[in-house]
Amino acid sequence: MIDLHSHTNQSDGSCSPEELIAEARRVGVHILAITDHDTFTGYDQALPHAQKHGVELLCGIELSTKLNGESAHLLGYFLRDSHLQSNGMDEFRRWLIELQALRRERNMRLAARLRELGFDITLEEAEARGRGMTGRPHFARIMIEKGYVETVQQAFDDYLAESAPGYVDRHEPQFADAVERIRNAGGIASVAHPVRLKGDFAAMLPALCDAGLNAIEAYHSDHEPENTEMYLRLAEHYGLLVTGGSDFHGAVKPGLELGTGRNGNVRIPEDLLGRLRAS
């Protein structure tokens, strides 16, 4: 099996990089991409374990961006070793450090906002769980532990989602800028889980292609069969590559399995990676 969308505890997943490799072996995923949010740390730590256990590990990332004023996630894949060692990748990693600093500044404001709402939660508590990539899911876990909410979903619905009273915005790069940076570093830029985007994706796509987007994540745990079929048609029409994966987060997303998604709804064609590598 192939899975090109997974997360470790170096961003918002529950598995350590070593544990994620072990899970890939257990379920039969032989080609795996780690796509942690705004960091390569999970990939870097997992690589020796993958090499030891015969899992082909691909370098990926998921970036939080703004598209037409709304949140949009962008996947980047770096499939050639020469690109991983290039000056373009060095520049890309430096840019990630800037994004991580902006994330921490947002988390400081988020902790302060939650305290204003009456929750006894500190930034230090969240960072103890989230490390360098602390985000809203880690604040949600603290809210569960302290009895403020019962589930992560409730924490987001009532307090942490963009329309909720505890939400605070953070600076995110524009989608087109993030695409350009991925492409300049030798990567493939794929719009993540397009079903989540607000607005008419098909109408947006010509402008995204003009910005350098060269792939669509057609296979995803959130996609119904008709969604996948539509994204495959759009990819063919615009000459785009196709990516796909479960978006595995471990215990953070119960019922979502590495390699197969939710109730087996994700199956990545074996020839998909060959087409990506040939690009």
Side-chain angles (χ1 to χ4, degrees):
M1 282 189 293
I2 299 171
D3 195 328
L4 302 184
H5 194 159
S6 69
H7 297 272
T8 75
N9 63 1
Q10 296 304 305
S11 65
D12 57 346
S14 65
C15 295
S16 70
E18 183 177 5
E19 289 168 342
L20 182 60
I21 297 302
E23 180 64 10
R25 290 188 69 207
R26 186 187 74 81
V27 301
V29 171
H30 62 282
I31 300 175
L32 176 70
I34 291 177
T35 51
D36 280 335
H37 294 276
D38 302 341
T39 181
F40 289 128
T41 303
Y43 166 81
D44 292 339
Q45 292 182 7
L47 187 56
H49 301 291
Q51 292 170 337
K52 178 180 178 181
H53 295 293
V55 175
E56 183 176 354
L57 188 65
L58 306 179
C59 181
I61 198 159
E62 186 169 8
L63 301 172
S64 299
T65 76
K66 289 293 186 185
L67 176 61
N68 300 327
E70 302 287 349
S71 178
H73 286 188
L74 177 67
L75 292 161
Y77 296 100
F78 306 89
L79 305 182
R80 298 184 180 88
D81 290 341
S82 60
H83 289 155
L84 296 179
Q85 306 301 325
S86 70
N87 290 333
M89 179 56 77
D90 289 342
E91 183 177 340
F92 190 83
R93 284 180 179 263
R94 285 193 291 271
W95 180 61
L96 290 182
I97 293 173
E98 297 175 14
L99 295 184
Q100 291 160 16
L102 292 170
R103 177 184 287 268
R104 189 171 195 276
E105 187 273 335
R106 187 282 305 270
N107 288 336
M108 292 174 63
R109 291 186 285 112
L110 176 55
R113 177 59 182 153
L114 291 175
R115 286 195 298 274
E116 290 176 359
L117 294 174
F119 298 111
D120 180 20
I121 295 175
T122 67
L123 174 63
E124 290 73 21
E125 288 176 303
E127 289 186 335
R129 292 156 178 81
R131 302 172 177 83
M133 286 297 102
T134 302
R136 288 178 292 168
H138 304 106
F139 286 91
R141 291 179 206 169
I142 297 171
M143 296 176 81
I144 294 171
E145 293 167 11
K146 295 193 173 185
Y148 296 129
V149 297
E150 294 185 358
T151 65
V152 170
Q153 190 63 53
Q154 182 188 357
F156 271 80
D157 289 345
D158 293 351
Y159 302 105
L160 299 174
E162 291 188 25
S163 59
Y167 180 78
V168 295
D169 201 4
R170 75 179 174 96
H171 173 78
E172 294 172 335
Q174 292 298 309
F175 189 91
D177 179 45
V179 167
E180 182 179 13
R181 288 180 181 273
I182 290 171
R183 297 296 305 276
N184 286 346
I188 294 167
S190 179
V191 59
H193 35 67
V195 74
R196 297 185 191 174
L197 292 178
K198 295 181 180 179
D200 185 341
F201 177 66
M204 290 186 237
L205 199 48
L208 302 185
C209 294
D210 288 344
L213 184 78
N214 61 340
I216 298 175
E217 187 179 43
Y219 303 96
H220 187 272
S221 299
D222 285 357
H223 293 175
E224 299 294 337
E226 56 268 27
N227 301 133
T228 297
E229 290 173 9
M230 179 182 70
Y231 299 137
L232 290 173
R233 287 197 303 270
L234 288 171
E236 182 177 10
H237 179 75
Y238 287 100
L240 298 173
L241 298 165
V242 171
T243 69
S246 63
D247 204 356
F248 179 76
H249 283 69
V252 175
K253 293 186 177 181
L256 200 162
E257 301 296 330
L258 188 68
T260 56
R262 188 171 286 107
N263 298 319
N265 72 336
V266 173
R267 290 288 178 180
I268 309 303
E270 288 292 323
D271 62 346
L272 182 146
L273 185 58
R275 293 196 295 271
L276 293 173
R277 284 188 165 133
S279 65

